[in-house]
Amino acid sequence: MGDPREPPGGTPEGGSNDDEFRSVVFDESFVRAARIQELSARERLSGAFGRATRPRGLGWLTLPRQAIALLLLVALAFAAAVYFGVTSPRGQVAAPSGTQLTVSLIPLAPAGTVSAVADPANPFAGLPAGYADGPAGLGVPAAHSTAHFTGSEVQRALDTVQQYLVLSELTPATLTANETGRVRALLTSGELAQYDDSLNAPRDDQHHAATGWMVRFDPGQIALAAGTVKARGTVQVGELDADTLEITADHTLVYALRPAGTTSDPAVSLYAVRRAVRVELDRADLDTGRLRLVDTAQQAGPTGCGTPQSDYLQPVLATTAGVRPGSPPAVDPAEHARPAWQSCGVLGPISG
């Protein structure tokens, strides 16, 4: 009889029985991991199970360790994805980044009866020297680098500000045709809600006057008597901080107006607006060509004291009686040495 330790058929050539089965080790962990286990003698005699073997534990616990680790890794990855998907900032609504506009509007009442210009075909003939047509009178400076912005970046900021000034102060569609979309397109997203509210429900609360965002007249009452606007003033560039440019503009604008629907009426009168604005542009604004309008202060006349100005400016046109004597001191809207203030004044002569 052969050696019971030898495999059936004898030992293969080139190896011994020790070498052939050296890598097969039936250790305790291997035995415990078996999927089935033979019934004990007592269990077989009792016949309670009706079979020779019974399962060992739960099936998934007997999987190889690598498979269990893989399942745990997948579960953890899924849980992490769900958690970060719920708590990610992208799922939250960001607060508006714009600065709320503050508006100050001071009506300048006429000292008496408003006179028509002598020559309706040349309504600006009586203006002193120093006024120019439209954009030429804005006084936009040449771009120079600042402490934290290059000359190219400053130029882009000035281009955006000039575009805003032209659209909000000089463009006929804005002035007398209720065009508002082009100005809106230049504002940062954080100011759009305030802008829309100012147009939909204008009110004199220093934040929601439509006339704070732009110069405009009621097209049912006022028409332009000339296709151009005379302007004079300055634009200055500074830094609010290392990442934000601050640009201020201070202009006197003179409009030639007549009553709407009276083309046969030669009466044309001049209306003056001193408008000071402050805007901010950060580096993201330079890339998008948008700006944040921070403050606007306006003196406008001839306008009656106490006349609502939040929706449209309300000029007193030629041949209309002015205010009675005893009104506040005369105010020259072209005198930039004194700041605009929140009061009603009397319109003085327009100077150069």
Side-chain angles (χ1 to χ4, degrees):
M1 180 178 295
D3 190 341
R5 293 175 298 175
E6 292 184 358
T11 303
E13 294 183 3
S16 66
N17 56 351
D18 291 339
D19 293 335
E20 180 70 18
F21 296 99
R22 188 183 303 272
S23 61
V24 181
V25 179
F26 296 96
D27 59 9
E28 183 178 359
S29 62
F30 178 88
V31 174
R32 291 183 180 276
R35 293 293 302 272
I36 60 175
Q37 180 181 1
E38 185 178 358
L39 298 177
S40 65
R42 179 177 297 177
E43 291 171 332
R44 287 197 302 269
L45 292 175
S46 66
F49 292 91
R51 58 182 182 274
T53 62
R54 67 169 181 268
R56 277 288 302 272
L58 298 177
W60 70 274
L61 290 177
T62 60
L63 291 175
R65 294 179 181 179
Q66 294 87 347
I68 295 176
L70 180 60
L71 288 175
L72 291 175
L73 181 61
V74 171
L76 288 174
F78 180 76
V82 172
Y83 173 79
F84 288 110
V86 172
T87 60
S88 172
R90 291 178 296 177
Q92 301 173 358
V93 178
S97 60
T99 302
Q100 188 177 43
L101 171 65
T102 300
V103 179
S104 176
L105 180 60
I106 301 92
L108 302 179
T113 300
V114 178
S115 301
V117 298
D119 183 4
N122 189 16
F124 303 112
L127 283 181
Y131 289 88
D133 290 345
L138 296 179
V140 179
H144 296 285
S145 61
T146 64
H148 300 94
F149 290 84
T150 66
S152 174
E153 290 173 326
V154 173
Q155 184 62 62
R156 288 156 61 191
L158 287 172
D159 290 343
T160 300
V161 171
Q162 179 170 349
Q163 187 179 5
Y164 166 74
L165 293 174
V166 170
L167 288 173
S168 65
E169 303 174 346
L170 306 175
T171 303
T174 302
L175 298 174
T176 57
N178 281 332
E179 166 58 46
T180 60
R182 296 172 69 185
V183 171
R184 187 183 192 276
L186 291 177
L187 303 176
T188 58
S189 59
E191 288 191 314
L192 296 182
Q194 184 189 9
Y195 179 82
D196 293 339
D197 195 15
S198 300
L199 293 173
N200 296 330
R203 50 201 182 273
D204 187 14
D205 62 354
Q206 295 187 302
H207 297 292
H208 295 92
T211 47
W213 303 92
M214 70 199 84
V215 176
R216 68 183 206 151
F217 307 102
D218 185 350
Q221 302 293 327
I222 305 295
L224 295 175
T228 188
V229 177
K230 292 292 184 177
R232 67 183 298 267
T234 60
V235 174
Q236 297 181 340
V237 180
E239 287 188 3
L240 183 65
D241 53 47
D243 294 310
T244 308
L245 283 171
E246 181 181 66
I247 299 181
T248 57
D250 193 351
H251 297 108
T252 299
L253 310 156
V254 183
Y255 304 88
L257 305 177
R258 60 175 175 79
T262 57
T263 55
S264 60
D265 188 345
V268 174
S269 54
L270 298 182
Y271 188 76
V273 176
R274 178 188 171 184
R275 188 167 188 252
V277 304
R278 180 166 65 94
V279 302
E280 297 175 1
L281 304 93
D282 60 24
R283 299 185 187 278
D285 299 330
L286 296 180
D287 294 334
T288 60
R290 299 193 173 201
L291 55 80
R292 286 170 285 172
L293 192 59
V294 180
D295 296 303
T296 65
Q298 294 180 141
Q299 297 172 340
T303 298
C305 291
T307 304
Q309 308 286 322
S310 58
D311 194 2
Y312 300 103
L313 297 179
Q314 303 288 342
V316 177
L317 299 181
T319 72
T320 303
V323 297
R324 66 182 185 274
S327 296
V331 174
D332 180 0
E335 185 182 354
H336 292 188
R338 62 189 304 177
W341 62 84
Q342 292 185 341
S343 64
C344 183
V346 173
L347 179 66
I350 300 175
S351 64

